[in-house]
Amino acid sequence: MSRRSETPTPTGPVRTCIGCRGRAPRSALVRLVLDDTTPRVEVDPERSAPGRGAWLHPSRECLDLALRRRAIGRALRAAGPVGTDAVAAWFDRYVSHRASDAPGDQRVIDEESGLEADGHPMSTQR
């Protein structure tokens, strides 16, 4: 007699965060791409830029883990070191710092894509 798993299976594509290595639906992650003209990594807010992509949870903790482990360049299969300044600036601008948040509703909305910090358009999560 087989038992069903108690955890619901997500619908749609599932990706792995290169920071924490956790799996999540594609819609809940931020996509990073390598700019071919310069060895620089950029955020792909529409998740549709051509080329290989890497995925991160929209949290500064996951970005810090990915930077510390040098996972971004490896995930994008870059030949050498890559610039991540644009990614760090995007996270500083659009993603709240959970560890330093003051109490209250401080959800951050990405003006370009209309997504809240957790990646959902009308999220109730904080």
Side-chain angles (χ1 to χ4, degrees), residues 32-56:
L32 307 178
V33 292
L34 187 63
D35 183 6
D36 290 337
T37 59
T38 63
R40 194 172 99 165
V41 179
E42 296 178 349
V43 175
D44 177 17
E46 279 88 36
R47 300 177 182 102
S48 61
R52 185 171 191 84
W55 299 84
L56 271 175

PDB file of all heavy atoms in Angstrom, residues 32-56:
ATOM      1  N   LEU A  32      18.682  35.483 -13.504  1.00  0.00           N
ATOM      2  CA  LEU A  32      19.900  36.224 -13.826  1.00  0.00           C
ATOM      3  C   LEU A  32      20.431  35.721 -15.154  1.00  0.00           C
ATOM      4  O   LEU A  32      20.364  34.531 -15.443  1.00  0.00           O
ATOM      5  CB  LEU A  32      20.968  36.005 -12.745  1.00  0.00           C
ATOM      6  CG  LEU A  32      20.563  36.267 -11.307  1.00  0.00           C
ATOM      7  CD1 LEU A  32      21.722  35.948 -10.378  1.00  0.00           C
ATOM      8  CD2 LEU A  32      20.108  37.694 -11.124  1.00  0.00           C
ATOM      9  N   VAL A  33      20.965  36.636 -15.966  1.00  0.00           N
ATOM     10  CA  VAL A  33      21.561  36.267 -17.250  1.00  0.00           C
ATOM     11  C   VAL A  33      22.910  36.961 -17.391  1.00  0.00           C
ATOM     12  O   VAL A  33      23.167  37.993 -16.769  1.00  0.00           O
ATOM     13  CB  VAL A  33      20.650  36.646 -18.444  1.00  0.00           C
ATOM     14  CG1 VAL A  33      19.403  35.816 -18.454  1.00  0.00           C
ATOM     15  CG2 VAL A  33      20.327  38.112 -18.445  1.00  0.00           C
ATOM     16  N   LEU A  34      23.751  36.400 -18.242  1.00  0.00           N
ATOM     17  CA  LEU A  34      25.067  36.955 -18.521  1.00  0.00           C
ATOM     18  C   LEU A  34      24.989  37.820 -19.762  1.00  0.00           C
ATOM     19  O   LEU A  34      24.492  37.381 -20.805  1.00  0.00           O
ATOM     20  CB  LEU A  34      26.069  35.813 -18.722  1.00  0.00           C
ATOM     21  CG  LEU A  34      27.526  36.182 -18.870  1.00  0.00           C
ATOM     22  CD1 LEU A  34      28.039  36.858 -17.608  1.00  0.00           C
ATOM     23  CD2 LEU A  34      28.345  34.941 -19.153  1.00  0.00           C
ATOM     24  N   ASP A  35      25.451  39.072 -19.661  1.00  0.00           N
ATOM     25  CA  ASP A  35      25.509  39.970 -20.809  1.00  0.00           C
ATOM     26  C   ASP A  35      26.684  39.531 -21.675  1.00  0.00           C
ATOM     27  O   ASP A  35      27.820  39.467 -21.206  1.00  0.00           O
ATOM     28  CB  ASP A  35      25.688  41.414 -20.335  1.00  0.00           C
ATOM     29  CG  ASP A  35      25.691  42.423 -21.459  1.00  0.00           C
ATOM     30  OD1 ASP A  35      25.433  42.026 -22.620  1.00  0.00           O
ATOM     31  OD2 ASP A  35      25.934  43.605 -21.185  1.00  0.00           O
ATOM     32  N   ASP A  36      26.414  39.203 -22.944  1.00  0.00           N
ATOM     33  CA  ASP A  36      27.457  38.671 -23.823  1.00  0.00           C
ATOM     34  C   ASP A  36      28.538  39.690 -24.166  1.00  0.00           C
ATOM     35  O   ASP A  36      29.677  39.322 -24.394  1.00  0.00           O
ATOM     36  CB  ASP A  36      26.841  38.147 -25.121  1.00  0.00           C
ATOM     37  CG  ASP A  36      26.041  36.885 -24.889  1.00  0.00           C
ATOM     38  OD1 ASP A  36      26.309  36.192 -23.888  1.00  0.00           O
ATOM     39  OD2 ASP A  36      25.143  36.594 -25.706  1.00  0.00           O
ATOM     40  N   THR A  37      28.186  40.968 -24.222  1.00  0.00           N
ATOM     41  CA  THR A  37      29.164  41.978 -24.631  1.00  0.00           C
ATOM     42  C   THR A  37      30.180  42.276 -23.530  1.00  0.00           C
ATOM     43  O   THR A  37      31.320  42.597 -23.822  1.00  0.00           O
ATOM     44  CB  THR A  37      28.465  43.283 -25.043  1.00  0.00           C
ATOM     45  OG1 THR A  37      27.699  43.763 -23.937  1.00  0.00           O
ATOM     46  CG2 THR A  37      27.549  43.040 -26.230  1.00  0.00           C
ATOM     47  N   THR A  38      29.765  42.178 -22.296  1.00  0.00           N
ATOM     48  CA  THR A  38      30.673  42.386 -21.161  1.00  0.00           C
ATOM     49  C   THR A  38      30.490  41.223 -20.192  1.00  0.00           C
ATOM     50  O   THR A  38      29.411  40.650 -20.121  1.00  0.00           O
ATOM     51  CB  THR A  38      30.347  43.695 -20.407  1.00  0.00           C
ATOM     52  OG1 THR A  38      29.033  43.594 -19.870  1.00  0.00           O
ATOM     53  CG2 THR A  38      30.432  44.895 -21.317  1.00  0.00           C
ATOM     54  N   PRO A  39      31.492  40.872 -19.456  1.00  0.00           N
ATOM     55  CA  PRO A  39      31.299  39.789 -18.482  1.00  0.00           C
ATOM     56  C   PRO A  39      30.553  40.300 -17.248  1.00  0.00           C
ATOM     57  O   PRO A  39      31.100  40.404 -16.162  1.00  0.00           O
ATOM     58  CB  PRO A  39      32.730  39.353 -18.153  1.00  0.00           C
ATOM     59  CG  PRO A  39      33.561  40.561 -18.397  1.00  0.00           C
ATOM     60  CD  PRO A  39      32.880  41.324 -19.499  1.00  0.00           C
ATOM     61  N   ARG A  40      29.288  40.652 -17.462  1.00  0.00           N
ATOM     62  CA  ARG A  40      28.480  41.229 -16.389  1.00  0.00           C
ATOM     63  C   ARG A  40      27.147  40.500 -16.289  1.00  0.00           C
ATOM     64  O   ARG A  40      26.523  40.182 -17.289  1.00  0.00           O
ATOM     65  CB  ARG A  40      28.243  42.702 -16.708  1.00  0.00           C
ATOM     66  CG  ARG A  40      27.706  43.509 -15.555  1.00  0.00           C
ATOM     67  CD  ARG A  40      27.692  44.948 -15.935  1.00  0.00           C
ATOM     68  NE  ARG A  40      26.326  45.271 -16.356  1.00  0.00           N
ATOM     69  CZ  ARG A  40      25.868  46.494 -16.485  1.00  0.00           C
ATOM     70  NH1 ARG A  40      26.665  47.515 -16.286  1.00  0.00           N
ATOM     71  NH2 ARG A  40      24.638  46.708 -16.845  1.00  0.00           N
ATOM     72  N   VAL A  41      26.713  40.255 -15.067  1.00  0.00           N
ATOM     73  CA  VAL A  41      25.451  39.574 -14.822  1.00  0.00           C
ATOM     74  C   VAL A  41      24.376  40.620 -14.575  1.00  0.00           C
ATOM     75  O   VAL A  41      24.604  41.602 -13.876  1.00  0.00           O
ATOM     76  CB  VAL A  41      25.570  38.635 -13.598  1.00  0.00           C
ATOM     77  CG1 VAL A  41      24.259  37.943 -13.327  1.00  0.00           C
ATOM     78  CG2 VAL A  41      26.678  37.628 -13.812  1.00  0.00           C
ATOM     79  N   GLU A  42      23.196  40.397 -15.156  1.00  0.00           N
ATOM     80  CA  GLU A  42      22.076  41.316 -14.995  1.00  0.00           C
ATOM     81  C   GLU A  42      20.822  40.539 -14.610  1.00  0.00           C
ATOM     82  O   GLU A  42      20.708  39.347 -14.882  1.00  0.00           O
ATOM     83  CB  GLU A  42      21.826  42.079 -16.296  1.00  0.00           C
ATOM     84  CG  GLU A  42      22.978  42.970 -16.692  1.00  0.00           C
ATOM     85  CD  GLU A  42      22.730  43.673 -18.013  1.00  0.00           C
ATOM     86  OE1 GLU A  42      21.763  43.313 -18.723  1.00  0.00           O
ATOM     87  OE2 GLU A  42      23.512  44.562 -18.338  1.00  0.00           O
ATOM     88  N   VAL A  43      19.876  41.236 -14.003  1.00  0.00           N
ATOM     89  CA  VAL A  43      18.581  40.652 -13.667  1.00  0.00           C
ATOM     90  C   VAL A  43      17.693  40.699 -14.904  1.00  0.00           C
ATOM     91  O   VAL A  43      17.667  41.687 -15.624  1.00  0.00           O
ATOM     92  CB  VAL A  43      17.932  41.417 -12.493  1.00  0.00           C
ATOM     93  CG1 VAL A  43      16.528  40.909 -12.216  1.00  0.00           C
ATOM     94  CG2 VAL A  43      18.791  41.296 -11.250  1.00  0.00           C
ATOM     95  N   ASP A  44      16.976  39.612 -15.146  1.00  0.00           N
ATOM     96  CA  ASP A  44      16.043  39.516 -16.270  1.00  0.00           C
ATOM     97  C   ASP A  44      14.622  39.546 -15.702  1.00  0.00           C
ATOM     98  O   ASP A  44      14.049  38.508 -15.395  1.00  0.00           O
ATOM     99  CB  ASP A  44      16.297  38.218 -17.032  1.00  0.00           C
ATOM    100  CG  ASP A  44      15.335  38.000 -18.181  1.00  0.00           C
ATOM    101  OD1 ASP A  44      14.684  38.970 -18.605  1.00  0.00           O
ATOM    102  OD2 ASP A  44      15.238  36.849 -18.647  1.00  0.00           O
ATOM    103  N   PRO A  45      14.031  40.755 -15.528  1.00  0.00           N
ATOM    104  CA  PRO A  45      12.732  40.842 -14.871  1.00  0.00           C
ATOM    105  C   PRO A  45      11.601  40.129 -15.613  1.00  0.00           C
ATOM    106  O   PRO A  45      10.675  39.627 -14.990  1.00  0.00           O
ATOM    107  CB  PRO A  45      12.448  42.333 -14.774  1.00  0.00           C
ATOM    108  CG  PRO A  45      13.523  43.028 -15.493  1.00  0.00           C
ATOM    109  CD  PRO A  45      14.552  42.039 -15.915  1.00  0.00           C
ATOM    110  N   GLU A  46      11.663  40.056 -16.947  1.00  0.00           N
ATOM    111  CA  GLU A  46      10.615  39.370 -17.703  1.00  0.00           C
ATOM    112  C   GLU A  46      10.849  37.868 -17.788  1.00  0.00           C
ATOM    113  O   GLU A  46      10.003  37.141 -18.300  1.00  0.00           O
ATOM    114  CB  GLU A  46      10.501  39.942 -19.120  1.00  0.00           C
ATOM    115  CG  GLU A  46       9.698  41.232 -19.172  1.00  0.00           C
ATOM    116  CD  GLU A  46      10.587  42.439 -18.942  1.00  0.00           C
ATOM    117  OE1 GLU A  46      11.743  42.413 -19.401  1.00  0.00           O
ATOM    118  OE2 GLU A  46      10.132  43.389 -18.301  1.00  0.00           O
ATOM    119  N   ARG A  47      12.028  37.421 -17.373  1.00  0.00           N
ATOM    120  CA  ARG A  47      12.395  36.001 -17.409  1.00  0.00           C
ATOM    121  C   ARG A  47      12.350  35.444 -18.832  1.00  0.00           C
ATOM    122  O   ARG A  47      11.934  34.303 -19.042  1.00  0.00           O
ATOM    123  CB  ARG A  47      11.479  35.175 -16.502  1.00  0.00           C
ATOM    124  CG  ARG A  47      11.513  35.568 -15.062  1.00  0.00           C
ATOM    125  CD  ARG A  47      10.514  34.721 -14.283  1.00  0.00           C
ATOM    126  NE  ARG A  47      10.487  35.117 -12.899  1.00  0.00           N
ATOM    127  CZ  ARG A  47       9.544  35.881 -12.367  1.00  0.00           C
ATOM    128  NH1 ARG A  47       8.568  36.319 -13.114  1.00  0.00           N
ATOM    129  NH2 ARG A  47       9.579  36.197 -11.097  1.00  0.00           N
ATOM    130  N   SER A  48      12.766  36.246 -19.793  1.00  0.00           N
ATOM    131  CA  SER A  48      12.658  35.793 -21.179  1.00  0.00           C
ATOM    132  C   SER A  48      13.874  36.131 -22.031  1.00  0.00           C
ATOM    133  O   SER A  48      13.837  35.924 -23.242  1.00  0.00           O
ATOM    134  CB  SER A  48      11.422  36.425 -21.824  1.00  0.00           C
ATOM    135  OG  SER A  48      11.548  37.830 -21.825  1.00  0.00           O
ATOM    136  N   ALA A  49      14.944  36.654 -21.454  1.00  0.00           N
ATOM    137  CA  ALA A  49      16.138  36.997 -22.227  1.00  0.00           C
ATOM    138  C   ALA A  49      16.765  35.715 -22.777  1.00  0.00           C
ATOM    139  O   ALA A  49      16.701  34.664 -22.146  1.00  0.00           O
ATOM    140  CB  ALA A  49      17.136  37.744 -21.354  1.00  0.00           C
ATOM    141  N   PRO A  50      17.364  35.804 -23.963  1.00  0.00           N
ATOM    142  CA  PRO A  50      17.981  34.608 -24.527  1.00  0.00           C
ATOM    143  C   PRO A  50      19.224  34.209 -23.736  1.00  0.00           C
ATOM    144  O   PRO A  50      19.859  35.027 -23.085  1.00  0.00           O
ATOM    145  CB  PRO A  50      18.344  35.037 -25.949  1.00  0.00           C
ATOM    146  CG  PRO A  50      18.460  36.513 -25.886  1.00  0.00           C
ATOM    147  CD  PRO A  50      17.485  36.964 -24.834  1.00  0.00           C
ATOM    148  N   GLY A  51      19.558  32.951 -23.838  1.00  0.00           N
ATOM    149  CA  GLY A  51      20.764  32.454 -23.191  1.00  0.00           C
ATOM    150  C   GLY A  51      20.479  31.722 -21.899  1.00  0.00           C
ATOM    151  O   GLY A  51      19.348  31.592 -21.452  1.00  0.00           O
ATOM    152  N   ARG A  52      21.546  31.266 -21.322  1.00  0.00           N
ATOM    153  CA  ARG A  52      21.473  30.487 -20.086  1.00  0.00           C
ATOM    154  C   ARG A  52      21.102  31.406 -18.928  1.00  0.00           C
ATOM    155  O   ARG A  52      21.587  32.511 -18.824  1.00  0.00           O
ATOM    156  CB  ARG A  52      22.821  29.827 -19.839  1.00  0.00           C
ATOM    157  CG  ARG A  52      22.842  28.914 -18.668  1.00  0.00           C
ATOM    158  CD  ARG A  52      24.147  28.131 -18.632  1.00  0.00           C
ATOM    159  NE  ARG A  52      24.048  27.080 -17.649  1.00  0.00           N
ATOM    160  CZ  ARG A  52      23.503  25.899 -17.874  1.00  0.00           C
ATOM    161  NH1 ARG A  52      23.015  25.628 -19.061  1.00  0.00           N
ATOM    162  NH2 ARG A  52      23.442  24.995 -16.926  1.00  0.00           N
ATOM    163  N   GLY A  53      20.270  30.921 -18.040  1.00  0.00           N
ATOM    164  CA  GLY A  53      19.851  31.702 -16.884  1.00  0.00           C
ATOM    165  C   GLY A  53      20.187  31.002 -15.586  1.00  0.00           C
ATOM    166  O   GLY A  53      20.370  29.788 -15.537  1.00  0.00           O
ATOM    167  N   ALA A  54      20.286  31.779 -14.526  1.00  0.00           N
ATOM    168  CA  ALA A  54      20.456  31.259 -13.167  1.00  0.00           C
ATOM    169  C   ALA A  54      19.336  31.854 -12.333  1.00  0.00           C
ATOM    170  O   ALA A  54      18.870  32.961 -12.600  1.00  0.00           O
ATOM    171  CB  ALA A  54      21.820  31.657 -12.618  1.00  0.00           C
ATOM    172  N   TRP A  55      18.898  31.137 -11.316  1.00  0.00           N
ATOM    173  CA  TRP A  55      17.716  31.538 -10.556  1.00  0.00           C
ATOM    174  C   TRP A  55      18.057  31.758  -9.096  1.00  0.00           C
ATOM    175  O   TRP A  55      18.840  31.011  -8.510  1.00  0.00           O
ATOM    176  CB  TRP A  55      16.646  30.458 -10.693  1.00  0.00           C
ATOM    177  CG  TRP A  55      16.229  30.266 -12.115  1.00  0.00           C
ATOM    178  CD1 TRP A  55      16.835  29.491 -13.058  1.00  0.00           C
ATOM    179  CD2 TRP A  55      15.148  30.914 -12.776  1.00  0.00           C
ATOM    180  NE1 TRP A  55      16.174  29.601 -14.257  1.00  0.00           N
ATOM    181  CE2 TRP A  55      15.133  30.465 -14.102  1.00  0.00           C
ATOM    182  CE3 TRP A  55      14.171  31.818 -12.357  1.00  0.00           C
ATOM    183  CZ2 TRP A  55      14.184  30.886 -15.035  1.00  0.00           C
ATOM    184  CZ3 TRP A  55      13.230  32.231 -13.275  1.00  0.00           C
ATOM    185  CH2 TRP A  55      13.244  31.776 -14.603  1.00  0.00           C
ATOM    186  N   LEU A  56      17.465  32.800  -8.511  1.00  0.00           N
ATOM    187  CA  LEU A  56      17.668  33.154  -7.104  1.00  0.00           C
ATOM    188  C   LEU A  56      16.335  33.493  -6.460  1.00  0.00           C
ATOM    189  O   LEU A  56      15.473  34.091  -7.102  1.00  0.00           O
ATOM    190  CB  LEU A  56      18.546  34.399  -6.978  1.00  0.00           C
ATOM    191  CG  LEU A  56      20.051  34.253  -6.910  1.00  0.00           C
ATOM    192  CD1 LEU A  56      20.697  35.621  -6.913  1.00  0.00           C
ATOM    193  CD2 LEU A  56      20.475  33.470  -5.713  1.00  0.00           C
TER     194      LEU A  56
END
